[in-house]
């Protein structure tokens, strides 16, 4: 079914959002509002795609160049209403056929609904079809007025409606299909004789009816699809509806969502069957979750690949890869470029950045790992820190296979630790450790006998020491001077 033109209206100020940003650039489920609209229009393959821009023009045009390179932005310098916006768009449109017009602020519309609407319009001989909806609360929308035959007579805006018209529950969704010739003829006859002093696109209906054309209103099955976003409350409402739609899709495909109301998944996330997602989790970008994985509770994954049967608990990860059967969390922070190998572990209070943890290797507790490559079967002791930054430049650390890094080791980059090597707990390692060696980088311990009895006499410590049999021998340290 061919569609010659689609016009997306997106020049409005979005005043009710109370923002310094463009309304259509606000995001829901990982895509801007206008990107959702264009994604719904694209499968209809309009030969000419036009977007009317005005307020925040530069930001909207830059975004369009990125998400819809075939769209042509048309500038509406002064915002004089939806009718005016279409007048301007028509100056950049050639040929005849059918034009779809819709607003850039209705992100829940689906291409299935638009296709059905197009089929219904083409089956009629009407000059214009308007997609309508029955709203439980029609406040704020233009009302659909039908004649005695059921044909569309006219549309009356809320602000121009009398009390009787305000009771009408069938509203204009702002989605139209026009025969281009009829639209071109009627659009020039609009006036600003209304409460807002604007040119209303909705008034084209009366003009077409008065000049020998015909109009119909086609009722949509799902009013939720046609909700427009004008303020922050509607933004949250549409985001919640989009969340339900996405979550239903995943649950039907075999994903367990323990609490769908607190699980937020972007449109471009892929989740295989038999994944379990616990409450309070957010999956964004192009994250990919493999079968059998357990995610959450309270976990955020942004552009993260998670392997088969892996688990990620109470953690925050971005632009990273987590291998099959690997375990991450609780309270793990994986920053960009982290690769956790299969059967590997990144545990509690561990931060990893731009590093590879080889298969079966473990970073279980309280560590920072940055700009490092760790081989396989290696264990990084509690609170070890990869000291990758000398204050000016970041350096690399390479750790081999089956290495044992002692707890609280400071590994000062650039550095390498060979296969099978150890480091002593509490070491500051500044030089390479060869394969199989034990790296020790700390002062030898000495005990100053009787020190507490002499220097802290009378304290509880001194009393306990005496009870334990400590004596002040008068001798100083075994290997050093008195302090
Ligand atoms: C419009 C309709 C109303 C319908 C509702 C559905 C008119 C007069 N009213 O009202 O019947 O029920 O949508 O959501 O059309 N825009 C421009 N240039 C302008 C003015 C607006 O491009 O000069 C764009 C806006 O950016 C927006 C769209 O047109 O994307 C609709 O404008 P908006 O102000 O939101 O119209 P509504 O009051 O919602
Ligand atoms: Ca609107």
């Amino acid at each position: 079914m061919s569609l010659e033109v689609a016009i997306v209206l997106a020049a409005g100020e979005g005043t009710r959002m109370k923002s310094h940003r463009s309304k259509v650039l606000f995001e829901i489920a990982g895509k801007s509002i206008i990107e959702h609209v264009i994604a719904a229009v694209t499968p209809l393959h309009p030969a000419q795609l036009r977007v009317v821009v005005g307020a925040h023009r530069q930001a909207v045009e830059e975004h369009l160049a990125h998400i819809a390179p075939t769209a042509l932005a048309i500038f509406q310098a002064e915002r004089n209403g939806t009718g005016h916006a279409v007048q301007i768009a028509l100056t950049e449109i050639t040929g005849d056929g059918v034009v779809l017009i819709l607003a850039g602020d209705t992100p829940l519309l689906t291409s299935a609904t638009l296709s059905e609407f197009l089929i219904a319009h083409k089956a009629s001989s009407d000059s214009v079809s308007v997609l309508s909806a029955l709203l439980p609360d029609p406040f704020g929308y233009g009302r659909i007025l039908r004649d005695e035959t059921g044909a569309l007579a006219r549309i009356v805006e809320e602000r121009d409606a009398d009390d009787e018209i305000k009771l009408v529950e069938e509203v204009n969704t702002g989605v139209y299909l026009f025969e281009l010739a009829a639209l071109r003829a009627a659009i020039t006859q609009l006036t600003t004789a209304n409460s807002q002093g604007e040119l209303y696109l909705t008034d084209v209906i009366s003009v077409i009816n008065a000049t020998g054309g015909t109009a119909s209103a086609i009722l949509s099955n799902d009013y939720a699809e046609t909700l427009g976003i004008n303020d922050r409350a509607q933004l949250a409402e549409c985001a919640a509806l989009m969340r339900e739609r996405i979550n239903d899709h995943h649950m039907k495909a075999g994903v367990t969502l323990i609490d769908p109301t607190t699980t937020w998944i972007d449109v471009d996330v892929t989740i295989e069957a038999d994944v379990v997602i616990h409450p309070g989790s957010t999956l964004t970008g192009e994250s990919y979750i493999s079968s059998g994985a357990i995610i959450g509770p309270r976990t955020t994954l942004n552009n993260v690949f998670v392997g088969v049967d892996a688990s990620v608990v109470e953690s925050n990860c971005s632009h990273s890869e987590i291998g099959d059967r690997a375990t991450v969390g609780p309270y793990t922070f994986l920053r960009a470029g982290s690769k956790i190998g299969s059967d590997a572990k990144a545990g509690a209070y561990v931060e990893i950045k731009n590093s590879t943890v080889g298969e079966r290797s473990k970073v279980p507790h309280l560590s920072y790992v940055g700009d490092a490559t760790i081989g396989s079967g290696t264990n990084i002791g509690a609170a070890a820190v990869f000291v990758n930054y000398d204050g000016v430049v970041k350096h690399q650390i390479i750790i081999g296979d089956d290495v044992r890094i002692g707890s609280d080791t400071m590994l000062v980059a650039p550095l390498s630790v060979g296969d099978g090597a150890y480091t002593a707990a509490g070491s500051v390692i500044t030089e390479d450790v060869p394969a199989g060696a034990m790296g020790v980088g700390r002062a030898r311990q000495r005990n100053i006998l009787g020190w507490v009895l002499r220097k802290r006499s009378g304290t509880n410590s001194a009393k306990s020491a005496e009870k334990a049999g400590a004596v002040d021998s008068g001798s100083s340290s075994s290997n050093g001077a008195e302090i």
Side-chain angles (χ1 to χ4, degrees):
M1 184 117 337
S2 71
L3 175 66
E4 281 70 31
V5 186
I7 304 174
V8 179
L9 304 181
E13 307 288 338
T15 323
R16 289 165 276 181
M17 291 300 277
K18 306 261 163 62
S19 175
H20 61 275
R21 294 169 55 209
S22 162
K23 168 169 89 171
V24 296
L25 298 185
F26 277 77
E27 288 197 357
I28 286 183
K31 281 194 183 352
S32 68
I33 293 172
I34 195 166
E35 196 174 355
H36 285 289
V37 174
I38 288 176
V41 171
T42 303
L44 279 72
H45 302 296
Q48 304 174 61
L49 176 57
R50 304 287 182 260
V51 181
V52 181
V53 300
H56 310 283
R57 171 193 187 183
Q58 197 187 345
V60 176
E61 284 186 11
E62 277 169 16
H63 181 62
L64 283 173
H66 184 59
I67 60 148
T70 62
L72 179 69
I74 300 173
F75 181 48
Q76 184 191 14
E78 123 203 52
R79 261 75 68 195
N80 198 17
T82 48
H84 180 241
V86 171
Q87 281 178 352
I88 302 230
L90 285 171
T91 64
E92 300 279 348
I93 288 165
T94 55
D96 280 331
V98 176
V99 54
L100 169 70
I101 301 180
L102 73 178
D105 66 356
T106 53
L108 295 170
L109 260 181
T110 62
S111 50
T113 294
L114 292 178
S115 296
E116 282 170 31
F117 181 46
L118 181 59
I119 290 167
H121 174 75
K122 292 236 169 169
S124 78
S125 55
D126 292 318
S127 328
V128 53
S129 299
V130 176
L131 188 66
S132 69
L134 284 173
L135 288 198
D137 176 14
F139 178 80
Y141 287 82
R143 303 301 202 285
I144 296 287
L145 299 187
R146 293 174 182 264
D147 67 16
E148 55 288 349
T149 69
L152 175 59
R154 61 195 172 104
I155 298 173
V156 181
E157 292 304 297
E158 172 83 32
R159 296 215 226 179
D160 302 297
D162 60 27
D163 288 346
E164 195 186 336
I165 291 177
K166 281 183 184 160
L167 293 175
V168 173
E169 289 177 337
E170 187 177 11
V171 304
N172 168 26
T173 66
V175 183
Y176 316 80
L177 285 164
F178 285 95
E179 295 301 321
L180 266 163
L183 177 63
R184 282 206 180 92
I187 197 91
T188 56
Q189 298 182 43
L190 296 180
T191 71
T192 55
N194 54 58
S195 69
Q196 296 189 78
E198 290 183 350
L199 297 173
Y200 288 170
L201 179 58
T202 45
D203 286 347
V204 169
I205 308 300
S206 321
V207 175
I208 285 177
N209 279 324
T211 52
T214 55
S216 68
I218 298 176
L219 191 60
S220 136
N221 307 321
D222 179 8
Y223 78 85
E225 272 196 33
T226 62
L227 294 174
I229 295 181
N230 299 305
D231 58 31
R232 308 267 177 163
Q234 288 167 327
L235 178 69
E237 188 186 356
C238 284
L241 288 165
M242 182 74 82
R243 184 197 65 223
E244 281 173 21
R245 189 188 282 177
I246 292 169
N247 288 353
D248 282 349
H249 159 82
H250 288 298
M251 289 190 283
K252 285 198 180 95
V255 176
T256 299
L257 302 182
I258 303 296
D259 180 10
T261 62
T262 63
T263 304
W264 294 84
I265 303 171
D266 278 2
V267 261
D268 289 337
V269 171
T270 308
I271 310 179
E272 294 184 357
D274 289 322
V275 165
V276 177
I277 301 181
H278 290 278
S281 297
T282 302
L283 279 53
T284 62
E286 294 181 15
S287 292
Y288 189 106
I289 318 296
S290 306
S291 176
I294 296 172
I295 308 296
R298 289 172 292 283
T299 290
T300 300
L301 303 179
N302 176 30
N303 287 296
V304 174
F305 173 90
V306 178
V308 173
D309 293 334
S311 76
V312 190
V313 177
E314 304 238 28
S315 291
N316 185 313
C317 313
S318 67
H319 297 90
S320 292
E321 283 176 43
I322 296 168
D324 296 348
R325 298 171 303 281
T327 63
V328 172
Y331 319 120
T332 306
F333 184 27
L334 297 187
R335 291 162 56 198
S338 299
K339 285 188 184 163
I340 310 300
S342 46
D343 301 292
K345 177 184 175 106
Y349 304 103
V350 166
E351 174 179 348
I352 299 180
K353 181 214 78 167
N354 188 33
S355 295
T356 299
V357 177
E359 55 185 55
R360 293 176 287 102
S361 287
K362 294 183 164 62
V363 190
H365 335 271
L366 299 160
S367 285
Y368 172 65
V369 178
D371 302 307
T373 304
I374 299 174
S376 61
T378 284
N379 191 77
I380 307 296
V385 172
F386 287 55
V387 183
N388 61 330
Y389 186 44
D390 64 11
V392 182
V393 181
K394 308 242 164 76
H395 300 280
Q396 294 284 324
I397 295 179
I398 297 170
I399 310 280
D401 298 338
D402 299 305
V403 168
R404 299 287 175 265
I405 297 294
S407 292
D408 202 35
T409 298
M410 298 293 122
L411 297 160
V412 182
L415 189 71
S416 74
V417 177
D419 292 343
Y422 276 52
T423 67
S427 289
V428 178
I429 302 292
T430 56
E431 288 166 25
D432 292 352
V433 181
M438 159 65 93
V440 185
R442 55 170 154 86
R444 180 176 292 278
Q445 180 179 337
R446 63 196 174 102
N447 297 327
I448 304 167
L449 301 178
W451 186 93
V452 174
L453 304 184
R454 287 195 298 285
K455 302 287 191 185
R456 297 289 184 267
S457 72
T459 63
N460 287 345
S461 299
K463 286 174 196 161
S464 290
E466 268 162 359
K467 261 191 226 156
V471 289
D472 179 6
S473 63
S475 77
S476 81
S477 152
S478 53
N479 61 352
E482 179 67 284
I483 53 170

